[in-house]
Amino acid sequence: MPRARTRVITLNAALGPLDYAVPDGMHVEPGSVVVAPLGPRQLLGVAWEAERVPSEEVGDNRLRPLASLVDVPPLAAPLRRLCEWTADYYLSPLASVLRMVLPSAAALDGPRQLTEYKPTGLIPNRLTPQREQALARLAGRQGTIRELADHAGVSDTVLRGLVNTGALEAMRVDADRPLPLPDPDFAPPNLNPDQQSAAASLIAAIGGGFDPVLLDGVTGSGKTEVYFEAIAEAVRAGKQALVLLPEIALTEPFLKRFEARFGCAPVAWHSDLRSSQRRRAWRGIASGEARVVVGARSALFLPYPNLDLIVVDEAHEPSFKQEEGVQYHARDTAVMRAKFEDIPVVLSSATPAIESKQMVELGRYRELVLASRFAGAQLPEIRLIDMTKDMPPRGRWLAPSLVAELEANLAASEQSLLFLNRRGFAPLTLCRTCGHRFQCPNCTAWMVEHRLMHRLACHHCGHVMPPPKACPECGEEDSLVACGPGVERIADEVAALFPEARTAIVTSDTIWSPAKAAEFVAAMEAQAIDIVIGTQLITKGYHFPNLTLVGVVDADLGLQGGDLRAAERSFQQISQVAGRAGRGGKPGRVYVQTHDPDAPVISALVSGDAAGFYAAETESRREAAMPPFGRLAAIIISAEDQAETEAVARRIGHAAPRVEGMAVFGPAPAPLAMLRGRHRQRLLVHAQRSLDVQDVIRDWLDTVDWGAKVRVSVDVDPYSFL
């Protein structure tokens, strides 16, 4: 009698599918998570249908038995099909995709216990202000030291001191505690007629099969409240819902809104979670206990057994595109997961991507429109500041008219926002004596001065150095000068103009976690901040009713370079940041500083002609056969040795096939010609929409050999052209 056997995809991307014998008494089916021996090692893997992942046949007598079966539910067929599609479309190893499905080794272990603490009621003899604060905030609470410290706003050390005094007592609890169940009827919203109509349409879609919907609503129109009703319907049906957010910093404000509607927080999934939190979330998701999950793009690949709705919030955001590893786009991959699961997917945005609008035009997505703001709030008026006429004083960056508006807002006790999408103090530091420019030793990029942290930093590889007192080239002291503004420099200018104003800088350097985002939101809601100076992090998801003035410091910044989406991205960013103004009962106003007032993007923003801008931008893409009317793929070659990089790039270029409807440009040095110490060359493939460009590239690269020190990656549908 032949031995039972199974094909396994391990999580090692260097290995192909492997066959194993199934020991007697072990029940293995497609999707089962297994431990497979390979030499002296034991590798995690997933059993797969043999016919879907061809491999060289091995006789039964040569098969090694599986080591064990992991006690978690098997990956369902729709998720396995998504993994296959992602690997095929984005030209990535299936094993690399599976690593996103099984990201937490701790989650695969059996039941665990952990230590939690709770107050005993004992007051220590030595009661410092921090201890007093902790005990006041922790009354009636229980959790790990880290969780309690976050809630109390004190350090772990303070709480450990309270443990030593007996004010907190330890207890062992099950690590897999029950997750709270959202109540769909906890606090139903009062929707206006337009919102009611859109919500009813989404509710009707639950349980009705695959249905991609573009929820296109102006900023402040209540899109979140609308899709919350679809989530409520999925929860009533005992199913799961997933909400994807583009930034983890947005998670905390979202959790608060969700808790107000459903009575408890959803399960969060993002990179800031601790290992124990990731374990609990993954196991709750895999068991179906986690009814609603909100997370970053990686949450898309988790094993939901009862998924009934996917929402992609701020679906236009470029941060949904993964730039390393498996270079997938979460918006498009979410649509594919919904297709495999046969469920609705909602793409929510105030400024939809041209690709999404084109899918509506083709009839593949349906569209729901919210054309006005909620509760009678009006869209802000956008006014132009021509910087060639209304020039700031030398060494300043804010036009006199914008300064006057800031002054008026301060006098009215209203909040203001200054937007500049550039972190740090200045993008370039040079020597005024010899002209030396500070460049990253690992990248072809300037070192950015971060004056708050007293360092020069590379935003590409993370290399940092203290600002030197003397120029390293000529030795001259006190000759270094900062060139151009970043948000820190604008904050300094605001402090000089308005010394009494309370300011906050909002960038990924200052808001690096959901907890930091929560602190910022609380300060804004408490009116403890007068003027916010921020990057793109502040352009989405936040709702501050007393914020009535927005100033765009440099509207031309995003239009520089050869990015085909530069105009669209600038329109989206400025529209989104403008949407932060006037979201309550007070009217909002927006001032846009530009040196090019006749640019089509600027004209469209000021005139409010979004439809005209989209139509013109779509037509220019159509004429150039650029996405969504054509296909692009980038081939990036990198190595530490420049000559080897160039040689492999030339070989790949010479091997390019002649295919009708496809053109290959390059190889050429990438705009970022060195990144993290590796030299980079690029080829760009431009093809007709109908061409299966993945098969062409796969066959093409199979004809070329390169050394182990050279990396060749393919970025299908690239968003970054660096």
Side-chain angles (χ1 to χ4, degrees):
M1 182 177 177
R3 300 174 70 185
R5 58 192 293 158
T6 188
R7 189 150 293 169
V8 173
I9 307 295
T10 71
L11 300 195
N12 187 333
L15 300 174
L18 300 173
D19 287 352
Y20 286 89
V22 179
D24 293 340
M26 183 184 291
H27 176 68
V28 175
E29 60 183 287
S32 293
V33 182
V34 298
V35 177
L38 186 71
R41 296 176 294 159
Q42 293 196 331
L43 303 179
L44 200 63
V46 179
W48 219 265
E49 298 93 329
E51 65 274 12
R52 303 192 69 91
V53 282
S55 180
E56 182 182 346
E57 285 296 328
V58 178
D60 287 355
N61 62 326
R62 296 174 55 197
L63 296 182
R64 295 183 68 181
L66 290 172
S68 62
L69 177 67
V70 180
D71 186 20
V72 295
L75 307 186
L79 178 54
R80 299 200 304 275
R81 301 295 82 82
L82 177 75
C83 292
E84 292 170 353
W85 178 86
T86 304
D88 181 70
Y89 188 88
Y90 292 105
L91 295 172
S92 296
L94 183 54
S96 298
V97 182
L98 281 174
R99 291 183 73 88
M100 296 188 289
V101 179
L102 304 169
S104 172
L108 304 180
D109 295 341
R112 278 187 178 183
Q113 285 197 325
L114 54 80
T115 302
E116 289 191 342
Y117 299 82
K118 68 176 183 180
T120 62
L122 181 69
I123 305 299
N125 294 328
R126 182 171 170 268
L127 191 62
T128 65
Q130 285 188 311
R131 287 182 173 185
E132 186 175 12
Q133 173 183 312
L135 291 174
R137 294 184 179 181
L138 296 181
R141 295 191 71 90
Q142 175 179 319
T144 64
I145 286 288
R146 181 72 256 149
E147 290 167 347
L148 295 179
D150 285 344
H151 183 78
V154 298
S155 69
D156 293 11
T157 305
V158 172
L159 294 194
R160 296 198 185 280
L162 289 173
V163 172
N164 293 335
T165 65
L168 293 178
E169 67 176 346
M171 63 197 69
R172 297 292 288 172
V173 298
D174 184 358
D176 298 334
R177 300 184 301 279
L179 294 171
L181 182 65
D183 179 1
D185 302 308
F186 180 76
N190 181 23
L191 303 178
N192 65 31
D194 287 348
Q195 290 176 315
Q196 289 174 3
S197 175
S201 180
L202 293 182
I203 289 170
I206 301 299
F210 178 56
D211 184 9
V213 181
L214 176 62
L215 181 58
D216 183 356
V218 299
T219 55
S221 59
K223 297 182 292 296
T224 304
E225 285 68 28
V226 167
Y227 71 65
F228 271 179
E229 296 314 290
I231 292 173
E233 187 67 15
V235 172
R236 286 189 192 98
K239 302 289 189 175
Q240 292 174 294
L242 166 65
V243 181
L244 295 179
L245 299 178
E247 306 269 3
I248 67 166
L250 292 177
T251 306
E252 197 69 22
F254 181 92
L255 297 183
K256 289 180 65 177
R257 294 176 73 176
F258 186 95
E259 189 167 356
R261 168 63 180 86
F262 292 96
C264 69
V267 173
W269 183 270
H270 50 74
S271 59
D272 200 50
L273 295 179
R274 296 183 297 279
S275 175
S276 60
Q277 292 173 314
R278 291 175 75 82
R279 169 195 161 83
R280 183 66 196 102
W282 192 94
R283 293 182 72 87
I285 289 165
S287 68
E289 182 189 0
R291 293 295 180 83
V292 183
V293 177
V294 55
R297 56 180 177 248
S298 59
L300 182 60
F301 288 93
L302 298 177
Y304 308 90
N306 300 311
L307 192 59
D308 210 27
L309 174 67
I310 300 173
V311 177
V312 184
D313 204 354
E314 308 288 358
H316 63 279
E317 271 295 313
S319 53
F320 278 123
K321 181 71 160 74
Q322 172 77 19
E323 297 294 350
E324 295 182 341
V326 182
Q327 299 183 62
Y328 67 99
H329 197 302
R331 179 197 66 214
D332 302 338
T333 309
V335 173
M336 291 307 300
R337 176 143 200 188
K339 183 177 181 180
F340 290 125
E341 299 276 0
D342 197 28
I343 61 172
V345 55
V346 178
L347 308 182
S348 176
S349 176
T351 52
I354 287 175
E355 287 84 350
S356 299
K357 282 186 164 288
Q358 181 61 18
M359 295 299 274
V360 171
E361 188 72 21
L362 294 173
R364 295 176 185 171
Y365 296 176
R366 64 186 180 96
E367 186 177 33
L368 298 175
V369 177
L370 298 173
S372 59
R373 283 187 157 182
F374 181 69
Q378 298 299 309
L379 287 167
E381 180 183 359
I382 300 180
R383 301 173 187 172
L384 194 70
I385 297 178
D386 186 343
M387 297 292 278
T388 64
K389 298 175 181 177
D390 190 5
M391 292 182 287
R394 184 175 179 84
R396 295 286 175 91
W397 311 95
L398 303 179
S401 54
L402 179 54
V403 172
E405 292 296 324
L406 288 167
E407 190 171 13
N409 241 38
L410 285 169
S413 298
E414 295 175 4
Q415 293 168 314
S416 305
L417 164 63
L418 295 175
F419 168 69
L420 176 63
N421 202 28
R422 186 183 273 157
R423 293 160 51 205
F425 183 84
L428 172 65
T429 300
L430 59 77
C431 173
R432 74 180 87 207
T433 302
C434 71
H436 172 73
R437 301 181 178 197
F438 285 80
Q439 183 171 314
C440 175
N442 308 314
C443 309
T444 45
W446 307 124
M447 297 291 284
V448 178
E449 181 179 1
H450 286 254
R451 196 160 286 185
L452 290 178
M453 293 177 278
H454 306 289
R455 70 184 188 189
L456 300 177
C458 174
H459 288 174
H460 297 284
C461 72
H463 177 77
V464 295
M465 60 182 285
K469 293 182 179 179
C471 172
E473 192 72 20
C474 68
E476 192 71 25
E477 291 193 6
D478 300 322
S479 66
L480 304 182
V481 59
C483 299
V487 288
E488 292 177 15
R489 196 167 201 170
I490 300 302
D492 278 5
E493 183 173 344
V494 168
L497 290 165
F498 309 109
E500 303 302 316
R502 299 162 299 173
T503 62
I505 297 174
V506 177
T507 74
S508 57
D509 299 309
T510 59
I511 308 292
W512 65 80
S513 70
K516 284 292 181 184
E519 289 178 17
F520 164 66
V521 171
M524 284 291 286
E525 291 176 345
Q527 307 302 310
I529 298 172
D530 299 313
I531 302 174
V532 179
I533 305 97
T535 61
Q536 55 85 27
L537 201 63
I538 195 66
T539 64
K540 47 193 173 280
Y542 292 107
H543 176 79
F544 303 125
N546 198 41
L547 199 160
T548 57
L549 173 66
V550 168
V552 179
V553 176
D554 187 353
D556 311 322
L557 184 61
L559 297 174
Q560 300 165 3
D563 188 340
L564 75 95
R565 295 182 179 86
E568 178 190 12
R569 197 169 295 159
S570 291
F571 182 85
Q572 290 167 337
Q573 260 187 3
I574 297 174
S575 296
Q576 289 282 342
V577 74
R580 299 313 104 197
R583 294 172 71 96
K586 301 174 183 177
R589 57 205 193 281
V590 179
Y591 287 82
V592 178
Q593 296 190 159
T594 177
H595 289 86
D596 188 7
D598 297 323
V601 176
I602 305 300
S603 300
L605 285 163
V606 174
S607 65
D609 186 15
F613 170 78
Y614 273 111
E617 190 69 13
T618 301
E619 189 55 36
S620 69
R621 299 262 195 100
R622 192 192 311 271
E623 290 174 1
M626 286 293 174
F629 306 102
R631 307 286 306 279
L632 289 178
I635 301 174
I636 302 100
I637 303 96
S638 70
E640 293 182 5
D641 183 271
Q642 183 174 357
E644 191 173 13
T645 306
E646 293 170 353
V648 172
R650 283 195 299 271
R651 289 207 302 274
I652 292 175
H654 289 151
R658 297 181 182 275
V659 177
E660 185 177 352
M662 186 182 92
V664 179
F665 303 98
L672 199 57
M674 179 181 277
L675 178 63
R676 301 186 186 96
R678 299 180 69 87
H679 297 273
R680 303 169 76 242
Q681 293 266 319
R682 285 176 64 98
L683 296 98
L684 186 65
V685 179
H686 183 202
Q688 293 177 353
R689 190 76 201 166
S690 57
L691 182 68
D692 188 346
V693 73
Q694 285 91 341
D695 277 354
V696 172
I697 293 174
R698 192 181 289 110
D699 294 342
W700 166 14
L701 294 182
D702 279 347
T703 67
V704 183
D705 292 322
W706 54 82
K709 295 182 179 179
V710 178
R711 295 179 197 154
V712 177
S713 64
V714 181
D715 186 1
V716 177
D717 302 337
Y719 265 59
S720 170
F721 292 86
L722 294 177

